[in-house]
């Protein structure tokens, strides 16, 4: 009998992109972070946990290529390999889309676990785009996570919900329930940061936010027109033309992989007189 020596599997890291409050930039961030990790050479898959809405495949620009989805795989109607969509821009990147129509209870804890375990054998990073809220869907998205990126806008209701999510990450996850020595590592990604609105007292400062939330800062993503432009053409902002937002996401992705990158607040500069006169863009 011959013994076959198999290559050691990657045993990927599961990172949930979560927030509590809706519309703060989770899907935008999941798309940017997964593309950024793949660009750095890491084999990455991004999963849409937002059953019913299905925004991720639009932001990734692959909505016309969806044949099978996460729910089909969980229900045994398709193999995982049939549902995974390979990104056309980055070899290392795959997308597992969700279903637009089916009922949310189709996502079961056992089903999610089986899919994640299979993905861990093949991918370095498994990025889970959570639905809004702190109910079942969001709890399932975070349950098996090794790390969490808590997307927060600098305003009171978003910060309050992020605080509740930090509580759930510390209590309602597999790591918490099994009494693991290593709790889910949670970091704050402050998005839609707008210095002008902070200066006018309309938004909280970074320091105000961090004073309330007991977790380290992963990055500061400025409010940027580039995000809307990129999502309109189905491109993760990090793969679109360089902008303050793409640079900020690149820094955050580098930190996620353990690199030390100085924290900076990038802003889209308003065109100054020089640019207006000579028609140069910033
Ligand atoms: N840095 C940014 N600058 C400008 N607009 C942004 C930024 N980040 C996100 N947005 C916009 O905010 C809106 C919500 O973003 P997104 O869909 O990523 O949020 P979400 O948290 O996934 O929402 P949901 O809770 O509904 O899933 C989108 O229109 C997006 O283009
Ligand atoms: Mg979303």
């Amino acid at each position: 009998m011959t013994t076959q020596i198999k290559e050691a599997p990657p045993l990927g890291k599961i990172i949930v992109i979560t927030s509590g409050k809706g519309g703060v930039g989770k899907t935008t961030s999941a798309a940017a972070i997964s593309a950024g990790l793949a660009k750095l050479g890491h084999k990455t898959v991004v999963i849409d946990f937002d059953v019913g809405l299905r925004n991720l495949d639009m932001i990734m620009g692959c909505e016309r290529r969806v044949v099978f989805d996460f729910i089909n795989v969980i229900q045994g109607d398709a193999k995982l390999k049939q549902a995974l969509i390979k990104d056309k821009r980055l070899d290392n990147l795959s997308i597992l889309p969700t279903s637009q129509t089916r009922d949310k209870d189709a996502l079961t804890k056992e089903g999610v676990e089986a899919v994640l375990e299979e993905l861990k054998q093949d991918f370095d990073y498994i990025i889970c785009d959570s639905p809004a809220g702190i109910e079942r869907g969001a709890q399932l998205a975070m349950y098996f996570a090794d790390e969490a990126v808590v997307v927060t806008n600098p305003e009171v209701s978003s910060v309050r919900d992020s605080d509740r999510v930090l509580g759930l990450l510390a209590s309602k996850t597999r790591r918490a329930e099994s009494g693991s020595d290593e709790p889910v590592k949670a970091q704050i990604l402050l998005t839609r940061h707008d210095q002008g609105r902070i200066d006018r007292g309309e938004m909280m400062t970074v320091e105000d936010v961090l004073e309330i939330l007991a977790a380290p800062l992963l990055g500061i993503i400025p409010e940027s027109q580039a995000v809307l432009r990129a999502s309109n053409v189905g491109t993760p902002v990090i793969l679109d033309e360089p902008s303050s937002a793409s640079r900020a996401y690149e820094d955050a992705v580098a930190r996620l992989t353990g690199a030390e990158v100085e924290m900076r607040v990038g802003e889209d500069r308003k065109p100054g007189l020089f640019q207006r006169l000579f028609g140069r863009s910033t």
Side-chain angles (χ1 to χ4, degrees):
M1 199 177 105
T2 53
T3 331
Q4 275 196 327
I5 299 171
K6 278 197 177 171
E7 263 181 59
L11 266 202
K13 194 179 268 183
I14 301 174
I15 304 180
V16 63
I17 315 293
T18 181
S19 70
K21 190 173 194 293
V24 293
K26 289 181 296 296
T27 302
T28 302
S29 299
I33 289 172
S34 55
L37 288 166
K39 221 167 87 171
L40 290 178
H42 302 289
K43 209 171 167 209
T44 305
V45 58
V46 56
I47 311 180
D48 192 347
F49 273 79
D50 205 349
V51 179
L53 279 180
R54 238 191 79 180
N55 278 334
L56 180 69
D57 49 79
M58 281 167 58
I59 295 208
M60 299 297 294
C62 64
E63 73 272 22
R64 285 194 212 96
R65 298 170 60 210
V66 176
V67 181
F68 294 111
D69 58 54
F70 195 13
I71 307 286
N72 293 137
V73 178
I74 286 184
Q75 295 187 331
D77 298 329
K79 294 249 183 298
L80 183 54
K81 289 217 160 50
Q82 294 175 289
L84 285 176
I85 302 174
K86 243 181 182 302
D87 188 84
K88 287 203 164 145
R89 298 151 294 213
L90 292 167
D91 265 359
N92 281 333
L93 182 59
S94 296
I95 299 112
L96 181 56
T98 195
S99 150
Q100 205 150 29
T101 51
R102 267 179 257 212
D103 114 69
K104 296 186 183 194
D105 291 337
L107 221 55
T108 60
K109 195 184 259 187
E110 297 70 29
V112 170
E113 181 174 23
V115 170
L116 291 176
E117 283 305 320
E118 198 174 336
L119 289 172
K120 272 174 89 161
Q121 309 304 316
D122 275 341
F123 290 91
D124 302 314
Y125 286 98
I126 297 133
I127 306 297
C128 304
D129 179 23
S130 173
I134 51 170
E135 307 302 325
R136 195 172 165 276
Q139 290 200 23
L140 264 179
M142 71 171 68
Y143 189 77
F144 298 100
D146 300 304
E147 294 191 19
V149 173
V150 182
V151 180
T152 308
N153 292 166
E155 43 105 10
V156 175
S157 64
S158 172
V159 174
R160 189 188 52 214
D161 285 359
S162 291
D163 195 37
R164 295 174 74 184
V165 162
L166 288 173
L168 290 177
L169 288 164
S171 61
K172 294 263 165 51
T173 51
R174 179 162 68 178
R175 279 180 182 244
E177 287 176 0
S178 67
S180 163
D181 294 342
E182 285 184 65
V184 177
K185 179 180 175 190
Q187 301 186 82
I188 306 297
L189 185 64
L190 200 61
T191 59
R192 312 202 70 167
H193 180 275
D194 184 335
Q195 193 59 49
R197 296 192 63 190
I198 292 173
D199 293 344
R200 291 195 295 277
E202 296 165 7
M203 275 195 156
M204 294 168 78
T205 65
V206 179
E207 293 73 26
D208 287 344
V209 174
L210 293 180
E211 204 165 295
I212 297 170
L213 299 176
L217 186 62
L218 178 69
I220 305 169
I221 313 296
E223 174 77 20
S224 167
Q225 289 291 323
V227 171
L228 196 61
R229 190 180 60 219
S231 80
N232 281 338
V233 294
T235 304
V237 68
I238 216 166
L239 300 182
D240 205 20
E241 52 191 73
S243 62
S244 58
S246 70
R247 283 187 290 272
Y249 273 118
E250 273 170 6
D251 286 357
V253 168
R255 290 186 199 105
L256 205 55
T257 63
E260 276 191 31
V261 182
E262 198 188 333
M263 197 63 71
R264 52 181 168 170
V265 182
E267 296 292 335
D268 275 346
R269 277 175 288 151
K270 305 275 180 292
L273 183 62
F274 183 83
Q275 280 100 8
R276 283 206 301 270
L277 284 177
F278 296 98
R280 290 224 207 123
S281 63
T282 46

